[in-house]
Amino acid sequence: MSESGRIGWPAEQPVWTFDWRLADAPDEEGIVILNAAYRGHQVFAKASLPSLRVRYEGPCGPYKDPLNYNNSHPTSRCPGSRVCVYAYSSGGLRALSVESYHTISAYRLTHRWVFWENGVVMPRLFSAGIQCPFDHRHHVYWRLDFDIDGARRDLALEYNTYTGEEGWGSGWHPFRTETKRLKNPTSRRSWAVVDLDSHRGYHVLPGPNDGSADAFSASDLWLLRYRASEDRYGRQGGAADDGLGAYLNDESTDGQDLVVWYAAHLFHRVAQGGDDWHGVGPDLVPFGPW
């Protein structure tokens, strides 16, 4: 079973167009966003959440929790569908939310994509519930196949306060080959993907609650050159290993078709109980002449 749809939003003068789907096993990557365009310019070929790993500070697990149609449920907002699409306004801006609610053992999970009329995209995962009575971390992996104005001619950059002017603005350094990176709040580290011809691009800004890598989930961002064989439709890695290191082959990322994997690390202290919801996710913010 699955659900899918096509969005043109707002209906009267669409600023966002994309397809979405929520599939069942063996394709288990939450709500997948396909062929997303903002103001007529392509942003993503595909954006998804293919991996969700949990490690307890105790004898339980580790676990890999797939988000799929089978463990999703209708909600009171959308009782007739397992994917809920709705619009709202906040701070004077309109937004469109595409979300699904899942239960996996004792966990309650909401997977949400928010598309704002100013071009900002907010991938989010919210979690509640405790499977085992120990502190634990949910490691959440988004796969962002950026195709800004098409699949080719994209470049990734990183910002740090200590980086000088290298031709991309003070603080920005380009990556020419595949790499993996860690968050660094001290240097206000963030990332961006830009189309070299149109100069349109997107910032990848870590969320305030996204945490940082540890020995179990050892990186925060992976920059890869697109390879179709590396899109595993949710069969990426396993409970003990995210499997992303195998894709780092020192391939060129200079003006290529790029994929960014971004990881958030949601800490849940058992003393807080299982009722409170915790949320993580980056902000994807456009820049350039959109």
Side-chain angles (χ1 to χ4, degrees):
M1 297 290 291
S2 66
E3 287 187 11
S4 60
R6 173 72 175 168
I7 297 291
W9 176 85
E12 62 278 9
Q13 288 184 315
V15 295
W16 279 106
T17 58
F18 56 87
D19 300 304
W20 60 264
R21 71 165 182 249
L22 177 64
D24 205 352
D27 293 350
E28 301 177 302
E29 47 190 340
I31 298 172
V32 178
I33 304 298
L34 299 163
N35 304 313
Y38 176 60
R39 298 192 180 278
H41 299 281
Q42 188 170 12
V43 178
F44 304 117
K46 179 180 178 182
S48 57
L49 199 164
S51 186
L52 175 59
R53 303 166 62 231
V54 185
R55 183 179 184 275
Y56 278 83
E57 297 177 8
C60 303
Y63 303 108
K64 185 171 186 282
D65 295 328
L67 298 179
N68 57 39
Y69 176 87
N70 191 55
N71 56 36
S72 66
H73 308 274
T75 61
S76 58
R77 184 189 291 272
C78 296
S81 174
R82 300 195 186 193
V83 174
C84 190
V85 180
Y86 59 94
Y88 64 96
S89 295
S90 179
L93 288 174
R94 294 177 296 176
L96 183 76
S97 179
V98 184
E99 69 180 36
S100 54
Y101 171 72
H102 304 257
T103 57
I104 302 174
S105 298
Y107 300 133
R108 306 186 304 279
L109 303 150
T110 295
H111 180 207
R112 178 181 298 156
W113 295 93
V114 181
F115 297 86
W116 292 87
E117 64 178 331
N118 63 358
V120 172
V121 183
M122 297 168 59
R124 291 292 185 267
L125 183 80
F126 300 91
S127 176
I130 297 176
Q131 178 67 20
C132 297
F134 300 94
D135 293 350
H136 58 279
R137 298 183 90 189
H138 298 264
H139 301 274
V140 189
Y141 298 78
W142 283 274
R143 181 181 180 275
L144 306 171
D145 180 0
F146 284 102
D147 279 4
I148 298 175
D149 281 320
R152 302 293 180 184
R153 299 284 293 161
D154 285 350
L155 180 71
L157 305 101
E158 179 179 276
Y159 177 84
N160 293 282
T161 54
Y162 56 74
T163 302
E165 172 61 63
E166 299 183 10
W168 300 93
S170 180
W172 290 99
H173 169 78
F175 288 122
R176 308 291 186 184
T177 57
E178 294 181 328
T179 189
K180 61 181 179 180
R181 302 296 291 164
L182 298 173
K183 299 185 184 83
N184 185 4
T186 301
S187 70
R188 296 170 54 197
R189 180 169 294 168
S190 64
W191 298 275
V193 176
V194 61
D195 181 85
L196 292 173
D197 297 320
S198 70
H199 304 294
R200 283 181 279 269
Y202 262 80
H203 294 287
V204 180
L205 306 178
N209 301 312
D210 285 0
S212 56
D214 59 17
F216 180 74
S217 180
S219 292
D220 296 312
L221 181 135
W222 296 256
L223 170 65
L224 303 173
R225 184 170 175 172
Y226 173 81
R227 298 295 180 194
S229 61
E230 295 175 1
D231 183 3
R232 302 291 308 281
Y233 294 83
R235 297 180 289 281
Q236 172 63 41
D241 188 345
D242 56 45
L244 292 172
Y247 297 158
L248 291 168
N249 301 314
D250 204 34
E251 291 189 84
S252 171
T253 57
D254 189 352
Q256 303 295 331
D257 184 0
L258 303 183
V259 173
V260 171
W261 285 78
Y262 176 89
H265 315 276
L266 187 160
F267 183 67
H268 190 179
R269 193 178 302 279
V270 69
Q272 297 174 322
D275 293 333
D276 290 342
W277 286 85
H278 302 73
V280 291
D283 288 352
L284 311 179
V285 179
F287 63 90
W290 292 92

